[in-house]
Amino acid sequence: MSVIAFLIQTLRIATPYLFAASGGVLSERSGIIALTLEGWMLTGAFCAALGSFYSGSPWVGLLCGAGGGVLVAALHALASIRYRADQVVVGIAINLLAVGATRFFLRLAFDSSSNSPRVPGFDWFSAEGGASQQSASVFVSLANPLVVIGLISLPLVWWILNRTPFGLRLRAAGEKPEAVASVGVSVARVRWLAVLLAGVFAGLGGTYLALEQHQFTDSMTAGRGFIALAAVIFGNWEPRRVAVACLLFAAAETFQIRLQGLQLIPSQFVEMIPYLLTIVAVAGIVGRTRQPSALGRVAD
Amino acid sequence: MATDRAPAVSPPGIPRWLQPLLPPLTALLIAAVVGDLLILTFGQSPREVFRLLIEGTWGNAYGLGQVLYKATTLICTGLAVALGIRAGMFNIGAEGQLALGGFAAAAIGLLLPAGTPALVAIPVCVAAACAGGSAGAAVPGVLKARFGASEVIVTIMMNFIIAALLNWAVATQLNVAESLHTPEIHAGAVPRLAAVSALFSGSAANFTILFALGAAVFTGWWLFRTRAGYELRAAGLQPDAAEYGGIRVGSVWLRTMLLSGALAGLGGVNYVLGYKQYYEEGFAAGAGYLGIAVALVGRNHPAGVVISALLFATLSQGALAVNALVPKQMVDVLTAIVIIAVATAVPEVERLLRAVRGKTA
C-alpha cells in the first residue's frame, strides 16, 4: 500500500516537472535556450488562478494558464528571435519580470501581497472519509485531467519531434539552421512555433500547481522550472530520458518528504540531487550529454 | 536578410561619444513608458510617483545613504558579471558567489578573537569574502576550462547548490536560535559612513563602497592595462584566434572565473561587515541576478558599471518610497523591461548605426 502511496505522491510532484520539461525540450531542440521555464510556469499559475477565480471553472483556469504561458513565451520569442537578443539575458529578465509582474497584479487584482483567494480546482472526488482515504487519494490524483495530460506530454513531444514534418524542421532548426533555411523554410517561424508551444506546456505546469493548491501564492513555482531544466539537460534533450529524469527527481523529493522524521540525510542534501546530477552530466564525467548544436545561436 | 533593411530613422552624423550611450538610453526610455502605463493602471499620476521616487532617494540623507549602500553590492556583482562577459563567459552564479562570500566573511569574523585590531580583522574578513566567492566560481571555472562544460548551466545549478548548502550550515551548524542568521562577529566590522558625516545618518551606507570603487578601478586597470587583461579580452572576442595567437584560453577562463567570483564575494562584505555583522539567509536577495542588468546597462565597462549600479540602486530604494502609491514590485517589472530593452536595443541600434555609417561613408 505504501508503495502505491509513494508512486502517487511521486506522480503528483512530477507533474509540473513533466509539463515544464516538455516545454524545455521543444524550445531547446529548436535552438532557443529555455532558462525561462520558471517564469513561464509562474505566469501560467497566476493566470490560471485568475481565470479560475473569475469564471468559477477550473477549465477556464486551464485555458488561461496555457494562455499566460504563451504570452510570456511570445515576449521571449520576440526578443530573442525577432530582435536577436542574447537568449540567456532575456531568459533571466523574463524570470524577473514574471516574479515582479505576478506580484504587481496580485496587488492589483486581489489586493494582497502573498496569495490569491481560494479558487476552484479539479477535485471531483473529495478525499474525506477515514477508511477509504488511501483509495480516495488514488482517485483524486488520477481524476485530475492535468495529471493525465502531464503524463502524456513528454510522449506527445517525442511524437511531434520524431514523427511529424514540423518536428523534423524543429530539430533541424536547433542543429543546423542553415540547412532549414536552404530548403526555403523559415527558421524564425519554426522557432516561434516551438517556443509558443513550449509556453503552453510550461503554462500548464504552473496551472497544475495553482489549481491543486486552490490558490496562487507569491513565487509558488519555487525553482521547479529550474529543476525541469535540469531534467532536460540530464535527460540529454531526449523526451524519453527527460521523462525518466523528471520522475527520478520527483522520487528523490518524495523519498525525502517521507523520511523527514528519520533525519537520515539533511533535507538540503536531497534538494541538491537534481543540480549535482546535472553538473556531473554537463561536465561529461559520466556519459557526456550533448546539447543541440545551434542552441542559443542567432539564425537569420 | 534583416541587416539589409533601410534604417527607419537616418540621423545625419551622431556624435561619436553618444553612440555607445544610445542603446541604454533607448532602453531607459522604453522602461519609462512601461512604468507610466503600470502607474496609470493603478490609477496614480506618473509625475507624482516619479517625484516621490527622486525625493525618497537623492532628496534626503537617509535615502541617499541607502542608495549608496545598495549600489555598493551592485557594483561588486556588476563587475563580476562584466568581467566574465569580457572573457566570453556568462557568470550567472554571482548570486550564489555573493552569498558564499558573505557567509565566509561572517564565519571568519566569528573565528577572530574579540580584541583583534580592525587593521588586521577587516583585511582578513574581506579576503575571506573574496575567497568564498572564488570558491563558488571555481566549480564552473574548472569544469569549463577542463571539460568545456557550459558555464551558464553550471553557474545556475551552483546557485541552488550553494543556497542549499548555506541553508544547511545556518540551520544546523552556526545559527542563533529562532533565527536564520549566524551569531554576530567579534571583529572585522566596517564602519558606517554616518560615523564620519551626518550626511548619511541612519542609513546602512558604509566604507565598503570604497572597496567596491577600488575594485572598479582595479578591474579597469586589469582589463585595459595588463597583459592578462588583454588575453582575457582576446579570449572573449575570438577564442580560437586567441588560442592560435598563443593564449591558453582554458586557463584564462579559469582565472577570470575565480576573479569574477572574488568580485561577487566582495559584495558580501557590504551586508555582513558593513551593516548587520552577521550572515543572514537570503541577504543577497537577487543582487547577483541584478548584476547582470548592471553589467549590461553599463556596457561591461567598470565606469559604466558604477553608474548603472547607482541607477538600479536608486530604482530599488525608490520602490520603497513610492510603495504607498504603487506596489514596490513595479520596480522589478521595470528592471526586467530595462534588461530586455537593452538586450534587444543593443543589436538593433548598432545595426541602425552601421547602416547610417554605411550611407554617409
Side-chain angles (χ1 to χ4, degrees), chain A residues 35 79 83-85 88-89 92-93 97 100-101 103-104 108 226 233 266 268-269 272 275-276 279 283 288 300, chain B residues 1-2 38 42 90 92 143 147 149 153 156-157 160-161 164-165 167-168 296 329 333 336 339-340 343-344 348 351:
Chain A
L35 275 186
Y83 288 105
R84 310 139 189 234
V88 174
V89 172
I92 301 270
L97 181 71
R103 281 183 186 159
F104 184 88
L108 191 65
F226 287 103
I233 298 163
Q268 293 92 345
F269 288 89
M272 287 180 208
Y275 311 117
L276 283 173
I279 288 181
R288 188 181 193 85
D300 288 287
Chain B
M1 285 187 289
L38 288 179
F42 238 74
F90 225 128
I92 300 181
L143 294 182
F147 305 105
I153 296 172
I156 290 175
M157 301 298 150
F160 290 101
I161 293 173
L165 208 59
N167 177 278
W168 169 79
L296 205 66
Q329 286 78 24
V333 176
I339 303 178
I340 297 173
T344 52
E348 196 70 8
R351 200 154 46 235

Side-chain angles (χ1 to χ4, degrees), chain A residues 241-257:
Chain A
R241 286 170 67 177
V242 172
V244 173
C246 288
L247 292 169
L248 182 74
F249 292 170
E253 234 173 281
T254 312
F255 203 65
Q256 181 246 313
I257 294 167

Side-chain angles (χ1 to χ4, degrees), chain B residues 132-224:
Chain B
S134 272
V139 175
V142 169
L143 294 182
K144 169 108 180 161
R146 279 288 308 269
F147 305 105
S150 155
E151 79 284 359
V152 171
I153 296 172
V154 179
T155 49
I156 290 175
M157 301 298 150
M158 281 303 290
N159 280 341
F160 290 101
I161 293 173
I162 290 171
L165 208 59
L166 292 181
N167 177 278
W168 169 79
V170 175
T172 64
Q173 308 292 309
L174 261 181
N175 74 322
V176 173
E178 311 275 311
S179 83
L180 285 172
H181 60 78
T182 60
E184 276 195 30
I185 54 174
H186 309 304
V190 173
R192 301 261 180 112
L193 290 183
V196 293
S197 161
L199 190 58
F200 308 103
S201 59
S203 75
N206 60 76
F207 279 93
T208 310
I209 193 163
L210 294 186
F211 298 148
L213 292 174
V217 172
F218 168 80
T219 307
W221 171 78
W222 168 277
L223 265 179
F224 302 112

